[in-house]
Amino acid sequence: MQPKLIIHGGAGSSLKGKGGVEVVRRSLYKVIEEVYALLTSGGSAKEAVVLGCQLLEDNPRFNAGTGSVLQSDGQIRMSASLMDGTSQRFSGVINISRVKNPIELAQYLQSSPDRVLSDYGAAELARELQIPSYNGLTDLRLQEWMQERQDNFQRTMAGVVAESDFAEHESFESQLTESTTARRGTIGVVALDTHGNLVAGTSTGGKGFERIGRVSDSAMPAGNYATQYAGVSCTGIGEDIIDECLAAKIVVRVTDGMSLQEAMQRSFAEAQTNKRDLGAIALDARGHIAWGKTSEVILAAYHNGERMGDTLEIPEGTQVGNGEMG
Ligand code: GLY
């Protein structure tokens, strides 16, 4: 079977005119190239999803791992999950601090009897596994939080799409302005391997400025779900994704016989009617690739077996597309 791959680096406001499109495209394509090479050399979908999530978590441009946004108390708390469609097994960590790659803990928990751990328990596991302590704070996220604190936290979310490299193109101040106008980050990967196994993974720093204890969709089946028929990773406002139960809804529709494109169209039409702000990437077992969004832009890229493509310049508004585009 020909492997397929789709990844995302969040959803948000338009990248147009900000010099950000090419920079984001390069970042996403670099990940696609490395992860797709693993799949074509016989790597499993699970290995591919974990590697893809690690690479995206390590890129400070995206709101996961290094570069995660800060919560209302100025701390980073991250959430990540992994779902194996073949075993139909979900695992994850919720609100973990001081680790470099939360997806690694989700991977470890795949074979544990207790498969979703939160804050204190997740930290205990990291200590047991002797995972080194790591601070994923970046200057941009700290500046963003301090600016917002001065305004007494009027925003309900942080800017979660940092659109340029620090030294590239723009000043720190302009990046801060852009970062705070862009929103709704998370990273995600869905892969189909040569054996036909589907796996989905999602990781996030949350929405930024949230109350301590707020739980993201990213480590719930609402935000990350797979069966042997389809896999989905979501991005956007967690509360909206949970209210739609978006990932599970799309996957169950495909599992019950709907085509992936129809399941995406139906689910995004419902999300639009309900005025949600979200996006999703998806694969089915036959190798169809799909993405959808109600937000202005979704930062997604894919490999359809022949070439890479992306969604960075798709028109604003609710859109559903497939891997033949871009
Ligand atoms: N979708 C990421 C979050 O809201 O936490």
Side-chain angles (χ1 to χ4, degrees):
M1 174 134 209
Q2 188 178 47
K4 299 286 166 74
L5 177 67
I6 185 162
I7 67 174
H8 72 78
S13 57
S14 173
L15 298 170
K16 268 199 299 252
K18 296 176 180 168
V21 172
E22 280 311 317
V23 181
V24 172
R25 182 172 282 138
R26 276 203 301 278
S27 297
L28 293 174
Y29 280 17
K30 202 158 171 266
V31 174
I32 291 276
E33 277 167 5
E34 192 168 339
V35 178
Y36 197 74
L38 175 70
L39 283 167
T40 51
S41 66
S44 71
K46 198 182 276 182
E47 288 166 342
V49 168
V50 171
L51 174 63
C53 287
Q54 283 168 333
L55 293 170
L56 290 162
E57 284 175 341
D58 289 346
N59 187 328
R61 184 181 325 288
F62 304 119
N63 172 29
T66 304
S68 286
V69 295
L70 307 185
Q71 299 197 339
S72 56
D73 62 345
Q75 299 297 310
I76 290 175
R77 294 183 186 86
M78 300 165 287
S79 298
S81 70
L82 191 62
M83 179 122 191
D84 180 332
T86 305
S87 61
Q88 213 174 317
R89 184 171 281 215
F90 182 96
S91 59
V93 286
I94 295 171
N95 287 331
I96 187 163
S97 302
R98 299 208 161 261
V99 296
K100 188 163 184 255
N101 294 111
I103 195 69
E104 284 176 9
L105 286 160
Q107 181 187 25
Y108 176 85
L109 288 167
Q110 276 280 300
S111 54
S112 162
D114 304 312
R115 278 188 272 115
V116 183
L117 297 183
S118 67
D119 40 57
Y120 177 72
E124 279 286 300
L125 176 66
R127 206 177 61 174
E128 270 170 46
L129 297 176
Q130 299 186 337
I131 292 174
S133 178
Y134 178 80
N135 184 0
L137 179 66
T138 61
D139 283 349
L140 184 64
R141 296 305 185 202
L142 180 60
Q143 293 297 329
E144 181 184 59
W145 186 84
M146 289 188 339
Q147 187 180 62
E148 189 54 30
R149 186 166 180 248
Q150 276 172 359
D151 297 339
N152 201 23
F153 293 120
Q154 285 171 358
R155 298 180 70 85
T156 52
M157 295 187 74
V160 285
V161 183
E163 288 152 0
S164 307
D165 290 333
F166 282 132
E168 206 170 8
H169 306 310
E170 293 169 52
S171 68
F172 187 82
E173 286 71 24
S174 76
Q175 287 180 60
L176 186 58
T177 308
E178 287 186 7
S179 160
T180 50
T181 54
R183 309 162 94 196
R184 303 171 285 259
T186 290
I187 66 92
V189 180
V190 187
L192 174 70
D193 65 25
T194 51
H195 301 291
N197 298 310
L198 275 165
V199 175
T202 304
S203 182
T204 189
K207 62 180 180 179
F209 315 130
E210 61 266 71
R211 285 181 71 109
I212 301 168
R214 182 258 182 186
V215 176
S216 166
D217 63 288
S218 298
M220 292 185 192
N224 189 71
Y225 198 68
T227 64
Q228 61 181 294
Y229 300 101
V232 173
S233 167
C234 298
T235 177
I237 295 179
E239 285 71 6
D240 285 1
I241 295 165
I242 294 165
D243 289 347
E244 292 296 307
C245 202
L246 186 65
K249 176 157 73 174
I250 295 165
V251 170
V252 169
R253 282 180 161 156
V254 176
T255 302
D256 284 350
M258 206 179 263
S259 73
L260 181 64
Q261 196 67 14
E262 200 184 343
M264 292 289 281
Q265 263 153 2
R266 176 104 46 113
S267 304
F268 277 87
E270 289 166 357
Q272 185 182 24
T273 301
N274 294 332
K275 298 190 169 44
R276 310 297 192 195
D277 189 348
L278 44 71
I281 56 170
L283 281 180
D284 73 12
R286 289 186 291 170
H288 296 118
I289 295 172
W291 52 266
K293 66 176 181 70
T294 59
S295 51
E296 284 175 37
V297 69
I298 179 167
L299 311 182
Y302 53 82
H303 201 303
N304 64 12
E306 287 167 20
R307 60 177 174 79
M308 294 190 286
D310 66 71
T311 63
L312 301 184
E313 289 166 288
I314 299 296
E316 291 176 15
T318 300
Q319 300 278 337
V320 171
N322 59 52
E324 303 311 312
M325 299 175 67

mmCIF file of all heavy atoms in Angstrom, residues 60-86:
data_model
loop_
_atom_site.group_PDB
_atom_site.id
_atom_site.type_symbol
_atom_site.label_atom_id
_atom_site.label_comp_id
_atom_site.label_asym_id
_atom_site.label_seq_id
_atom_site.Cartn_x
_atom_site.Cartn_y
_atom_site.Cartn_z
ATOM 1 N N PRO A 60 9.748 26.187 17.332
ATOM 2 C CA PRO A 60 9.127 27.211 18.180
ATOM 3 C C PRO A 60 8.024 28.005 17.480
ATOM 4 O O PRO A 60 7.260 28.717 18.119
ATOM 5 C CB PRO A 60 10.292 28.130 18.555
ATOM 6 C CG PRO A 60 11.368 27.827 17.587
ATOM 7 C CD PRO A 60 11.167 26.419 17.092
ATOM 8 N N ARG A 61 7.919 27.861 16.155
ATOM 9 C CA ARG A 61 6.862 28.546 15.410
ATOM 10 C C ARG A 61 5.474 28.060 15.824
ATOM 11 O O ARG A 61 4.505 28.812 15.759
ATOM 12 C CB ARG A 61 7.063 28.270 13.915
ATOM 13 C CG ARG A 61 6.120 28.980 12.993
ATOM 14 C CD ARG A 61 6.389 28.624 11.531
ATOM 15 N NE ARG A 61 7.793 28.418 11.235
ATOM 16 C CZ ARG A 61 8.693 29.388 11.169
ATOM 17 N NH1 ARG A 61 8.336 30.637 11.383
ATOM 18 N NH2 ARG A 61 9.948 29.113 10.893
ATOM 19 N N PHE A 62 5.386 26.806 16.239
ATOM 20 C CA PHE A 62 4.077 26.194 16.489
ATOM 21 C C PHE A 62 3.814 26.062 17.992
ATOM 22 O O PHE A 62 4.738 25.850 18.778
ATOM 23 C CB PHE A 62 4.001 24.824 15.802
ATOM 24 C CG PHE A 62 4.283 24.890 14.329
ATOM 25 C CD1 PHE A 62 5.353 24.210 13.776
ATOM 26 C CD2 PHE A 62 3.487 25.669 13.499
ATOM 27 C CE1 PHE A 62 5.627 24.286 12.422
ATOM 28 C CE2 PHE A 62 3.752 25.752 12.138
ATOM 29 C CZ PHE A 62 4.829 25.061 11.597
ATOM 30 N N ASN A 63 2.528 26.105 18.340
ATOM 31 C CA ASN A 63 2.123 26.104 19.748
ATOM 32 C C ASN A 63 2.007 24.680 20.295
ATOM 33 O O ASN A 63 0.912 24.154 20.494
ATOM 34 C CB ASN A 63 0.789 26.848 19.871
ATOM 35 C CG ASN A 63 0.208 26.739 21.258
ATOM 36 O OD1 ASN A 63 0.936 26.604 22.246
ATOM 37 N ND2 ASN A 63 -1.116 26.778 21.343
ATOM 38 N N ALA A 64 3.173 24.094 20.531
ATOM 39 C CA ALA A 64 3.252 22.754 21.140
ATOM 40 C C ALA A 64 4.715 22.549 21.500
ATOM 41 O O ALA A 64 5.592 23.030 20.781
ATOM 42 C CB ALA A 64 2.806 21.676 20.156
ATOM 43 N N GLY A 65 4.987 21.861 22.593
ATOM 44 C CA GLY A 65 6.384 21.660 22.991
ATOM 45 C C GLY A 65 7.083 23.005 23.129
ATOM 46 O O GLY A 65 6.563 23.945 23.744
ATOM 47 N N THR A 66 8.260 23.132 22.497
ATOM 48 C CA THR A 66 8.983 24.408 22.511
ATOM 49 C C THR A 66 8.159 25.467 21.775
ATOM 50 O O THR A 66 7.748 25.241 20.637
ATOM 51 C CB THR A 66 10.352 24.231 21.806
ATOM 52 O OG1 THR A 66 11.056 23.172 22.454
ATOM 53 C CG2 THR A 66 11.156 25.516 21.867
ATOM 54 N N GLY A 67 7.930 26.605 22.442
ATOM 55 C CA GLY A 67 7.088 27.636 21.823
ATOM 56 C C GLY A 67 5.641 27.551 22.233
ATOM 57 O O GLY A 67 4.783 28.257 21.676
ATOM 58 N N SER A 68 5.355 26.714 23.235
ATOM 59 C CA SER A 68 3.970 26.652 23.744
ATOM 60 C C SER A 68 3.587 27.993 24.368
ATOM 61 O O SER A 68 4.425 28.690 24.944
ATOM 62 C CB SER A 68 3.852 25.568 24.830
ATOM 63 O OG SER A 68 3.884 24.284 24.255
ATOM 64 N N VAL A 69 2.315 28.321 24.296
ATOM 65 C CA VAL A 69 1.822 29.558 24.900
ATOM 66 C C VAL A 69 1.744 29.402 26.423
ATOM 67 O O VAL A 69 1.762 28.291 26.947
ATOM 68 C CB VAL A 69 0.431 29.933 24.347
ATOM 69 C CG1 VAL A 69 0.513 30.250 22.866
ATOM 70 C CG2 VAL A 69 -0.589 28.833 24.613
ATOM 71 N N LEU A 70 1.675 30.543 27.102
ATOM 72 C CA LEU A 70 1.611 30.535 28.566
ATOM 73 C C LEU A 70 0.166 30.641 29.043
ATOM 74 O O LEU A 70 -0.643 31.341 28.446
ATOM 75 C CB LEU A 70 2.414 31.709 29.141
ATOM 76 C CG LEU A 70 3.861 31.830 28.656
ATOM 77 C CD1 LEU A 70 4.569 32.962 29.385
ATOM 78 C CD2 LEU A 70 4.620 30.542 28.869
ATOM 79 N N GLN A 71 -0.105 29.967 30.149
ATOM 80 C CA GLN A 71 -1.457 30.052 30.735
ATOM 81 C C GLN A 71 -1.583 31.309 31.600
ATOM 82 O O GLN A 71 -0.637 32.077 31.726
ATOM 83 C CB GLN A 71 -1.735 28.779 31.530
ATOM 84 C CG GLN A 71 -1.696 27.541 30.633
ATOM 85 C CD GLN A 71 -2.349 26.318 31.241
ATOM 86 O OE1 GLN A 71 -2.516 26.222 32.447
ATOM 87 N NE2 GLN A 71 -2.722 25.381 30.396
ATOM 88 N N SER A 72 -2.741 31.523 32.215
ATOM 89 C CA SER A 72 -2.995 32.777 32.942
ATOM 90 C C SER A 72 -1.974 33.034 34.046
ATOM 91 O O SER A 72 -1.682 34.175 34.371
ATOM 92 C CB SER A 72 -4.413 32.767 33.521
ATOM 93 O OG SER A 72 -4.588 31.627 34.332
ATOM 94 N N ASP A 73 -1.416 31.967 34.623
ATOM 95 C CA ASP A 73 -0.438 32.141 35.696
ATOM 96 C C ASP A 73 1.000 32.182 35.177
ATOM 97 O O ASP A 73 1.947 32.117 35.958
ATOM 98 C CB ASP A 73 -0.594 31.011 36.728
ATOM 99 C CG ASP A 73 -0.318 29.632 36.116
ATOM 100 O OD1 ASP A 73 -0.301 29.530 34.867
ATOM 101 O OD2 ASP A 73 -0.112 28.676 36.883
ATOM 102 N N GLY A 74 1.168 32.281 33.849
ATOM 103 C CA GLY A 74 2.509 32.398 33.275
ATOM 104 C C GLY A 74 3.233 31.069 33.127
ATOM 105 O O GLY A 74 4.429 31.054 32.831
ATOM 106 N N GLN A 75 2.543 29.965 33.307
ATOM 107 C CA GLN A 75 3.161 28.646 33.171
ATOM 108 C C GLN A 75 2.761 27.990 31.847
ATOM 109 O O GLN A 75 1.679 28.265 31.318
ATOM 110 C CB GLN A 75 2.704 27.716 34.310
ATOM 111 C CG GLN A 75 3.083 28.193 35.692
ATOM 112 C CD GLN A 75 4.592 28.266 35.891
ATOM 113 O OE1 GLN A 75 5.305 27.315 35.606
ATOM 114 N NE2 GLN A 75 5.068 29.409 36.351
ATOM 115 N N ILE A 76 3.639 27.097 31.372
ATOM 116 C CA ILE A 76 3.317 26.262 30.203
ATOM 117 C C ILE A 76 2.750 24.938 30.713
ATOM 118 O O ILE A 76 3.348 24.291 31.569
ATOM 119 C CB ILE A 76 4.581 25.993 29.361
ATOM 120 C CG1 ILE A 76 5.042 27.269 28.659
ATOM 121 C CG2 ILE A 76 4.331 24.874 28.350
ATOM 122 C CD1 ILE A 76 6.352 27.125 27.887
ATOM 123 N N ARG A 77 1.593 24.567 30.178
ATOM 124 C CA ARG A 77 1.052 23.219 30.448
ATOM 125 C C ARG A 77 0.581 22.656 29.105
ATOM 126 O O ARG A 77 -0.233 23.284 28.429
ATOM 127 C CB ARG A 77 -0.109 23.270 31.453
ATOM 128 C CG ARG A 77 0.320 23.722 32.831
ATOM 129 C CD ARG A 77 -0.817 23.712 33.832
ATOM 130 N NE ARG A 77 -0.374 24.290 35.108
ATOM 131 C CZ ARG A 77 -0.398 25.601 35.389
ATOM 132 N NH1 ARG A 77 -0.854 26.464 34.507
ATOM 133 N NH2 ARG A 77 0.034 26.037 36.559
ATOM 134 N N MET A 78 1.108 21.489 28.775
ATOM 135 C CA MET A 78 0.885 20.948 27.432
ATOM 136 C C MET A 78 0.045 19.664 27.486
ATOM 137 O O MET A 78 0.050 18.954 28.493
ATOM 138 C CB MET A 78 2.244 20.628 26.794
ATOM 139 C CG MET A 78 3.149 21.841 26.669
ATOM 140 S SD MET A 78 4.881 21.404 26.340
ATOM 141 C CE MET A 78 5.415 20.774 27.923
ATOM 142 N N SER A 79 -0.624 19.397 26.378
ATOM 143 C CA SER A 79 -1.427 18.177 26.273
ATOM 144 C C SER A 79 -1.139 17.514 24.929
ATOM 145 O O SER A 79 -0.925 18.213 23.932
ATOM 146 C CB SER A 79 -2.914 18.511 26.363
ATOM 147 O OG SER A 79 -3.190 19.100 27.615
ATOM 148 N N ALA A 80 -1.139 16.184 24.913
ATOM 149 C CA ALA A 80 -0.875 15.460 23.659
ATOM 150 C C ALA A 80 -1.550 14.104 23.709
ATOM 151 O O ALA A 80 -1.735 13.532 24.791
ATOM 152 C CB ALA A 80 0.632 15.269 23.462
ATOM 153 N N SER A 81 -1.916 13.598 22.525
ATOM 154 C CA SER A 81 -2.498 12.252 22.484
ATOM 155 C C SER A 81 -2.135 11.535 21.194
ATOM 156 O O SER A 81 -1.756 12.159 20.195
ATOM 157 C CB SER A 81 -4.018 12.304 22.652
ATOM 158 O OG SER A 81 -4.615 12.864 21.509
ATOM 159 N N LEU A 82 -2.257 10.225 21.274
ATOM 160 C CA LEU A 82 -1.935 9.348 20.150
ATOM 161 C C LEU A 82 -3.058 8.333 20.056
ATOM 162 O O LEU A 82 -3.488 7.785 21.083
ATOM 163 C CB LEU A 82 -0.611 8.643 20.486
ATOM 164 C CG LEU A 82 0.097 7.862 19.406
ATOM 165 C CD1 LEU A 82 0.500 8.764 18.241
ATOM 166 C CD2 LEU A 82 1.377 7.225 20.003
ATOM 167 N N MET A 83 -3.570 8.099 18.838
ATOM 168 C CA MET A 83 -4.591 7.074 18.688
ATOM 169 C C MET A 83 -4.211 6.147 17.536
ATOM 170 O O MET A 83 -4.021 6.583 16.397
ATOM 171 C CB MET A 83 -5.966 7.679 18.439
ATOM 172 C CG MET A 83 -7.023 6.612 18.251
ATOM 173 S SD MET A 83 -8.357 6.738 19.402
ATOM 174 C CE MET A 83 -9.204 5.178 19.134
ATOM 175 N N ASP A 84 -4.101 4.864 17.878
ATOM 176 C CA ASP A 84 -3.781 3.825 16.900
ATOM 177 C C ASP A 84 -5.105 3.273 16.374
ATOM 178 O O ASP A 84 -5.890 2.697 17.129
ATOM 179 C CB ASP A 84 -2.961 2.742 17.624
ATOM 180 C CG ASP A 84 -2.557 1.606 16.703
ATOM 181 O OD1 ASP A 84 -3.271 1.334 15.720
ATOM 182 O OD2 ASP A 84 -1.521 0.976 16.978
ATOM 183 N N GLY A 85 -5.342 3.458 15.071
ATOM 184 C CA GLY A 85 -6.616 3.031 14.504
ATOM 185 C C GLY A 85 -6.782 1.528 14.436
ATOM 186 O O GLY A 85 -7.900 1.013 14.493
ATOM 187 N N THR A 86 -5.677 0.801 14.317
ATOM 188 C CA THR A 86 -5.757 -0.659 14.198
ATOM 189 C C THR A 86 -6.157 -1.289 15.527
ATOM 190 O O THR A 86 -7.072 -2.104 15.592
ATOM 191 C CB THR A 86 -4.409 -1.218 13.699
ATOM 192 O OG1 THR A 86 -4.079 -0.548 12.486
ATOM 193 C CG2 THR A 86 -4.494 -2.714 13.441
#
